[in-house]
Amino acid sequence: MFDVLVIGGGMAGTLAALSARADGARVALAARSHGATALSTGALDIAYAPALSATVQMPRTIVEHVMDIAAHRQRHPYAVLGLEQTIVGLRRGFAMLAEHLAGTGLEPGDLDLEAENRYLPSSLGVAMPAAAALAPHRGLDLAHAAGQRWGVVQLLGDASFAAGRVMRGLAADAAALADRGPELIELGVRVTARGGPLATARAFDDVALIDEVTAELRGRVAGLDGIIFPPVLGLGHQREAHARLQAALGLPLVEALAHVPSVPGVRLQRALAAALSGAGVASVGEVVRCQTDGRRVVAAMTADRLELHAASFVLASGRFIAGGVLFEGGGREALFGLPLVSEDGLLEQDHPLPVVRETPMESHPLMTAGVQVNDRLQPMCEGRPPFDNLFAAGMVIGGFASRYALCADGVALCTGYLAGKAAASQRGGR
Amino acid sequence: MTSAFDTDVLVIGGGANGTGLARDLAKRGLRVLLCEKGDFARGATGASSGMIHGGPRYLLNDVETTRHSCADSGYIQRIVPHLLFRVPFLIPALPGGNFGGFAPLLFDVYFGVYDRFAVLKNGIPHARLTREELLAIEPGLRADVLGGVTSDEWGIDCGRLCLLNALDAAAHGAEIRTYTEVVGLMRDETGAVVGARLRAAGQVEVSEVRARAVVNCGGPWAERIAGLAEGGVRLRPGKGVHLIYDKRLTNFAVVANAVDGRQVFAMPYQNETWVGTTDDDYYGDLDDLWVTQDEVRYLQEALAHVLPGLAQQRLIGVRVGVRNTIFGWGKNEDDLSRRYEIIDHRAQRAAGFYSLVGGKLASFRQQSEDAADAVCAALGVHARCETHMHALPGGDALPDEAELARAYGVDRLAARRIVYRHGSLAPRVLDVGRETPTGFSVVCPCEPVLECEVRYCLRHERVVRLGDLMTRCRVAMGPCQGLRCGLRVAQLWAEERGADATDEREALMDLLTRRWRAARGVLHGQQLAQAELLMTQYTGLWRLPTLAPFA
């Protein structure tokens, strides 16, 4: 018997488990496999709302972006929770993540909602706006790098990272952001990268390879303010790899934000798993079915036929990538069959393909499908929460998609933290 | 002789008919300009399954079409042997179908008649199979199948067929302009058509070109184009949908009857399986075709009736197009004739203006020849058609894939694909790989496509927008939908074109947009997860779709 059972082991589920645990609850977490969190770019997207049109004034600070999102998208979790709860959730959720990532080499730094988004280099040569980022990706803000000189490392034969493209793209974006960007210099390194980013990252767990890179770069980095690397510097030992390389070269190192398959995502997922076990959250297998009793969820059945009882439950099962939301014929939430809502309104359950729009440039309601929640994060069905002790967090909540406003990590941190707290508060409530 | 005319013949349309006609006329020595408002094979041709068969279906009510198509299919196979693929058909008889237990016997007789035409297109005569034989070669068939027959057909890569026609026309002096739309026709005082007004895609200004003859090969758009000269073309546009599954689910084309008795089939095509097709009267926007959930369901149900396992498989896209069938009243779509017609608009006082409408892919060369004959007769040109005598580019010899794979150190499957698409030009494609250290690396792991082929296509195959590459070498067509190859391809585009960062992003956006159009009708199940992954990646790392520079 647990106080709280969290279903889903990504960013939202982890935060829910940690926050419930912090309130003294006995917590178990059920995870099927890696979901979208393991595909993270390395940035933490809290709030970035692109200007809706040229005549609209662009929000400036992160909190202004949050307000802009809530104002224009009424079903977005930030709008549903309201500004006050959202800000509290973001601040405390982020602080909780930072606390649990301490010492991993992935520390996300501080979150200052009154600051502007920083602009981080992506591996595709785009300056990406982000409120925060994991430590390996944080050292260069392209909006404030005029007059600096940075090297861009090209590993020999690495088809997944092209220094030429990165330099060309970043130069264009930095010029648009701040008149003048940093000067970028290509640094070819004769270390062969074969077999994709994850294989390369594993190879960098070996200090011998780090030392080879050091030897290659020594003497060529004088006058530089830092070096941009492809996001492959170690998988299990990235902290040691970074420290060793940084000490040897005496320069800040920044890994570009990653595309899939993502090394930063796998690192983050591993760190979250370690945080859970460190905090004393029990790990149980995949939940395949839940048992309900009138207005309460009573138990969850795992794939190994374990029956788990808990006082309250957090649904953090993700959206399409993770399988928390299904669309086969009609659409439904996978575990409880909850109805779906998109940013445009309810999706009728047995009516296939409600709206499929023309181009990716346009809004696409289907991509925002998920469960509807109230301001306590309880999933809704026909205007009321069907279960008093069920809360939702992360991408399983509908009404938003990262493609219209970069906010997926913010939603996970905020809703995860708040859902965990709400679930923990139900202890002894039955 | 200085002429008041800029060209002899303006051909409108870049499908099989238009490119076939341009090639035919250019080989006869005429000056030709071909205008296509998009890329090659974007209408009816591009949505076709590529089957160049006589259509045993037409035996019942249109035997001429069957004979014609079989004969021309034979010619087409001769001029472009590398671009063909064999399609062994299985026609199973099921309990509860027409003719009951006699069905296999009747099929046997029916296809015995078809065999007389099949030899024209190099088809092997049909064979009658017992239930056990059928299940042995295709275990996915329904277990209670009664028996059936085989039929031997050929298919062709339609997109490349049109490209090769155009390239060959260009080699004979024709000017080919894709992304150029005809927005008006120029008339003289008698009403005769003496040229056209053209507008390049995305441009405002209109240019004029004077031509001695104008031929409308607009496919389903032919009515609209003929309307520019009040010309009388009447079509009965029929929308056709093919579903595309993510892998080869069968090695045979399997025929099935849909719920309404119509015949549809599942066909292996490269790494995919195609299921089609529907045929429904269509009155909507030709430039924005939608696939409805009913159409998807109709085809899925039809095939599930014969291959029960198919319904659970992952759909990755659809091909949808509109047939330019000649108008007929009082018949259902399937019973309409697939014959073709060359209309001389002199009758509507528009001398010098012709429309080529109707017909089938399998006889496109014959259709082009007849249209060229009509134009040449009017212009007083006596040159004869030669399109059946000479190979299309790359069609003159088939290099040995194993030898190429060894010589260039590439995977044999990759070499086979290059030979399939480029025929005797395969060594030239592979030579490009020696220019860069990553020249032989795999750009698209789904197919596979090598970097050298992408570069070759970008240089030599009239790729105007990045999305055009999909029909040149199939990048972004596979199950990953451009997730893995999109970035590489856009980067190669930038290198080959010397494009800046903005151009590169716009090019990638074009590729993803076109990919999206094919996938948007089948967004469910695993495909939806793939779409989410694709969108998240490109939004999270490219800031797409907000391409605009920072405010």
Side-chain angles (χ1 to χ4, degrees):
Chain A
M1 175 77 189
F2 294 98
D3 296 321
V4 177
L5 175 64
V6 178
I7 301 163
M11 182 82 95
T14 302
L15 257 290
L18 293 175
S19 94
R21 192 78 192 97
D23 282 0
R26 289 166 300 164
V27 183
L29 183 139
R32 175 156 61 189
S33 78
H34 287 185
T37 298
L39 304 169
S40 162
T41 63
L44 293 170
D45 296 328
I46 306 289
Y48 171 77
L52 292 173
S53 77
T55 56
V56 175
Q57 201 184 349
M58 185 77 175
R60 230 170 26 82
T61 63
I62 294 157
V63 74
E64 280 172 22
H65 278 283
V66 171
M67 287 158 67
D68 185 88
I69 290 168
H72 289 103
R73 301 175 187 280
Q74 56 168 343
R75 290 184 177 81
H76 193 289
Y78 292 170
V80 174
L81 287 171
L83 191 61
E84 200 174 323
Q85 272 204 98
T86 300
I87 298 297
V88 169
L90 284 175
R91 286 222 168 96
R92 299 209 183 140
F94 189 92
M96 186 162 273
L97 176 74
E99 176 197 330
H100 285 277
L101 290 182
T104 61
L106 302 179
E107 300 79 0
D110 299 319
L111 177 66
D112 180 0
L113 294 175
E114 300 298 334
E116 296 185 22
N117 276 305
R118 60 187 93 206
Y119 289 88
L120 308 174
S122 91
S123 56
L124 302 180
V126 175
M128 287 303 301
L134 304 178
H137 314 279
R138 213 172 43 237
L140 170 61
D141 181 351
L142 290 153
H144 300 100
Q148 299 186 11
R149 299 180 79 227
W150 282 71
V152 182
V153 165
Q154 174 71 62
L155 301 178
L156 187 77
D158 183 359
S160 62
F161 184 90
R165 153 190 278 169
V166 171
M167 288 164 39
R168 200 170 62 235
L170 293 184
D173 278 1
L177 278 169
D179 292 338
R180 210 153 63 88
E183 188 186 339
L184 299 169
I185 297 112
E186 180 167 345
L187 298 169
V189 170
R190 280 167 296 169
V191 167
T192 307
R194 288 261 161 78
L198 290 167
T200 308
R202 248 176 242 119
F204 272 105
D205 281 338
D206 183 348
V207 290
L209 194 61
I210 297 286
D211 292 344
E212 261 183 65
V213 173
T214 310
E216 280 264 340
L217 287 175
R218 190 169 287 139
R220 294 160 68 197
V221 297
L224 291 184
D225 293 291
I227 303 176
I228 300 172
F229 268 85
V232 294
L233 292 177
L235 193 62
H237 301 287
Q238 86 274 352
R239 193 165 59 99
E240 295 80 355
H242 273 258
R244 192 176 179 95
L245 199 51
Q246 198 147 337
L249 296 174
L251 281 174
L253 305 180
V254 169
E255 284 184 286
L257 302 178
H259 54 81
V260 297
S262 163
V263 172
V266 174
R267 289 176 187 156
L268 174 62
Q269 188 72 60
R270 288 182 178 187
L272 295 180
L276 287 169
S277 87
V281 173
S283 168
V284 295
E286 173 189 357
V287 166
V288 292
R289 203 156 42 82
C290 285
Q291 194 187 326
T292 59
D293 165 20
R295 295 190 47 87
R296 297 186 70 81
V297 182
V298 180
M301 255 57 73
T302 69
D304 331 322
R305 297 169 185 277
L306 223 58
E307 190 174 305
L308 302 167
H309 290 262
S312 58
F313 294 77
V314 176
L315 183 65
S317 48
R319 198 172 289 171
F320 304 122
I321 290 174
V325 178
L326 301 176
F327 215 90
E328 278 157 357
R332 63 188 172 84
E333 182 277 319
L335 215 44
F336 296 91
L338 295 162
L340 301 183
V341 70
S342 81
E343 62 175 9
D344 278 1
L346 266 185
L347 293 174
E348 289 188 36
Q349 203 155 358
D350 49 2
H351 185 81
L353 282 201
V355 195
V356 181
R357 295 218 178 126
E358 164 79 322
T359 68
M361 283 89 85
E362 286 175 28
S363 157
H364 198 304
L366 189 54
M367 304 314 294
T368 65
V371 302
Q372 185 182 15
V373 292
N374 63 11
D375 64 358
R376 298 186 58 219
L377 294 175
Q378 292 172 304
M380 303 284 281
C381 182
E382 291 173 0
R384 65 181 184 83
F387 309 111
D388 293 333
N389 62 340
L390 179 66
F391 303 87
M395 292 295 290
V396 75
I397 300 175
F400 78 104
S402 59
R403 75 186 264 91
Y404 310 123
L406 293 172
C407 60
D409 296 297
V411 171
L413 292 170
C414 170
T415 59
Y417 174 82
L418 295 174
K421 259 193 118 46
S425 75
Q426 290 226 341
R427 263 176 306 162
R430 48 183 306 167
Chain B
M1 186 186 83
T2 57
S3 161
F5 292 101
D6 304 307
T7 187
D8 291 327
V9 185
L10 168 66
V11 177
I12 306 170
N17 280 339
T19 57
L21 177 61
R23 172 174 183 250
D24 194 319
L25 292 168
K27 284 176 80 78
R28 297 192 204 205
L30 278 80
R31 291 180 303 161
V32 178
L33 169 63
L34 181 142
C35 292
E36 157 60 51
K37 71 181 176 128
D39 185 30
F40 304 114
R42 287 288 283 279
T45 305
S48 116
S49 63
M51 202 82 72
I52 48 169
H53 61 168
R57 196 150 81 71
Y58 308 116
L59 261 186
L60 287 178
N61 56 8
D62 197 358
V63 71
E64 262 311 285
T65 293
T66 303
R67 197 191 57 76
H68 242 94
S69 306
C70 285
D72 207 37
S73 172
Y75 281 126
I76 296 167
Q77 292 176 35
R78 208 181 308 159
I79 61 175
V80 57
H82 60 293
L83 219 50
L84 302 174
F85 53 93
R86 189 153 224 147
V87 192
F89 263 86
L90 298 181
I91 302 113
L94 297 173
N98 293 337
F99 318 117
F102 292 109
L105 181 66
L106 286 166
F107 288 1
D108 197 16
V109 174
Y110 190 84
F111 279 88
V113 177
Y114 186 55
D115 285 344
R116 288 163 47 201
F117 301 98
V119 289
L120 295 167
K121 56 169 179 61
N122 308 318
I124 302 170
H126 83 283
R128 186 171 155 191
L129 300 179
T130 64
R131 171 179 177 276
E132 289 68 31
E133 287 166 336
L134 266 177
L135 288 172
I137 59 174
E138 179 45 78
L141 283 170
R142 245 170 74 172
D144 59 353
V145 62
L146 299 172
V149 295
T150 66
S151 175
D152 185 39
E153 302 284 5
W154 290 90
I156 195 164
D157 181 330
C158 311
R160 289 201 61 83
L161 174 66
C162 294
L163 171 76
L164 295 185
N165 275 331
L167 291 178
D168 201 34
H172 288 87
E175 189 186 341
I176 309 290
R177 290 194 212 162
T178 52
Y179 295 98
T180 302
E181 186 173 7
V182 171
V183 292
L185 294 172
M186 291 150 62
R187 318 282 293 271
D188 69 7
E189 58 285 355
T190 69
V193 171
V194 293
R197 278 180 285 280
L198 312 177
R199 186 170 58 207
Q203 303 293 311
V204 190
E205 62 270 27
V206 169
S207 65
E208 293 189 340
V209 60
R210 298 177 64 81
R212 295 167 70 200
V214 176
V215 189
N216 166 17
C217 299
W221 288 270
E223 265 184 357
R224 193 194 294 175
I225 294 165
L228 297 173
E230 298 90 45
V233 166
R234 191 145 186 222
L235 300 177
R236 176 120 174 241
K239 181 175 156 199
V241 174
H242 284 106
L243 306 182
I244 302 174
Y245 288 89
D246 65 337
K247 52 183 165 295
R248 285 176 82 96
L249 300 166
T250 165
N251 285 321
F252 303 91
V254 180
V255 174
N257 284 320
V259 63
D260 55 359
R262 288 187 63 254
Q263 250 183 25
V264 300
F265 60 80
M267 176 187 94
Y269 180 81
Q270 308 226 7
N271 286 1
E272 306 158 347
T273 302
W274 286 37
V275 172
T277 173
T278 61
D279 192 347
D280 293 299
D281 286 311
Y282 183 74
Y283 303 105
D285 184 355
L286 291 170
D287 296 310
D288 185 21
L289 299 177
W290 286 64
V291 174
T292 69
Q293 203 56 30
D294 293 343
E295 289 165 327
V296 175
R297 187 77 184 272
Y298 169 87
L299 291 172
Q300 282 179 319
E301 298 271 329
L303 262 295
H305 193 59
V306 182
L307 293 166
L310 212 72
Q312 282 80 49
Q313 300 297 324
R314 176 180 155 207
L315 279 170
I316 57 168
V318 294
R319 283 283 179 94
V320 52
V322 173
R323 300 172 179 82
N324 56 338
T325 320
I326 293 171
F327 186 79
W329 185 268
K331 289 182 172 179
N332 81 37
E333 296 92 333
D334 278 336
D335 293 338
L336 291 167
S337 166
R338 300 301 197 234
R339 78 199 152 78
Y340 60 97
E341 215 176 282
I342 294 139
I343 301 168
D344 184 341
H345 294 290
R346 193 182 302 270
Q348 291 100 38
R349 294 182 57 247
F353 183 44
Y354 308 84
S355 292
L356 167 53
V357 291
K360 284 179 64 67
L361 176 71
S363 51
F364 89 87
R365 198 212 54 82
Q366 184 67 51
Q367 289 151 208
S368 307
E369 178 178 339
D370 290 357
D373 284 347
V375 172
C376 286
L379 296 182
V381 175
H382 299 294
R384 309 264 314 254
C385 173
E386 292 185 350
T387 55
H388 54 307
M389 294 159 63
H390 305 132
L392 282 164
D396 51 331
L398 273 179
D400 180 45
E401 70 191 39
E403 214 169 275
L404 285 177
R406 256 195 315 278
Y408 289 89
V410 299
D411 183 80
R412 185 159 167 180
L413 177 59
R416 177 184 306 169
R417 288 293 161 86
I418 290 175
V419 170
Y420 171 71
R421 287 191 279 265
H422 301 273
S424 64
L425 298 173
R428 279 185 53 194
V429 176
L430 285 159
D431 281 341
V432 175
R434 293 184 164 148
E435 295 175 16
T436 53
T438 51
F440 295 116
S441 67
V442 176
V443 170
C444 158
C446 300
E447 285 292 331
V449 182
L450 306 184
E451 180 183 309
C452 56
E453 189 182 3
V454 174
R455 286 186 192 273
Y456 179 89
C457 294
L458 287 170
R459 289 176 199 175
H460 303 294
E461 297 199 330
R462 295 182 180 258
V463 176
V464 175
R465 300 192 181 171
L466 191 56
D468 301 347
L469 259 186
M470 292 166 70
T471 56
R472 303 301 190 272
C473 58
R474 293 184 52 80
V475 291
M477 301 282 268
C480 93
Q481 314 266 293
L483 180 77
R484 292 184 289 185
C485 63
L487 5 148
R488 278 292 300 284
V489 168
Q491 185 194 335
L492 293 172
W493 161 278
E495 282 180 33
E496 289 289 324
R497 298 280 200 270
D500 64 16
T502 309
D503 290 344
E504 185 185 339
R505 286 173 210 177
E506 273 169 13
L508 179 67
M509 203 62 211
D510 181 70
L511 183 81
L512 295 175
T513 303
R514 235 181 270 184
R515 179 61 253 176
W516 178 249
R517 277 168 194 260
R520 65 185 164 151
V522 289
L523 280 182
H524 47 90
Q526 295 166 308
Q527 180 62 16
L528 200 44
Q530 186 69 36
E532 186 178 41
L533 180 58
L534 188 72
M535 289 182 172
T536 306
Q537 157 148 325
Y538 284 115
T539 318
L541 291 176
W542 279 74
R543 227 171 49 236
L544 294 177
T546 38
L547 288 165
F550 294 107

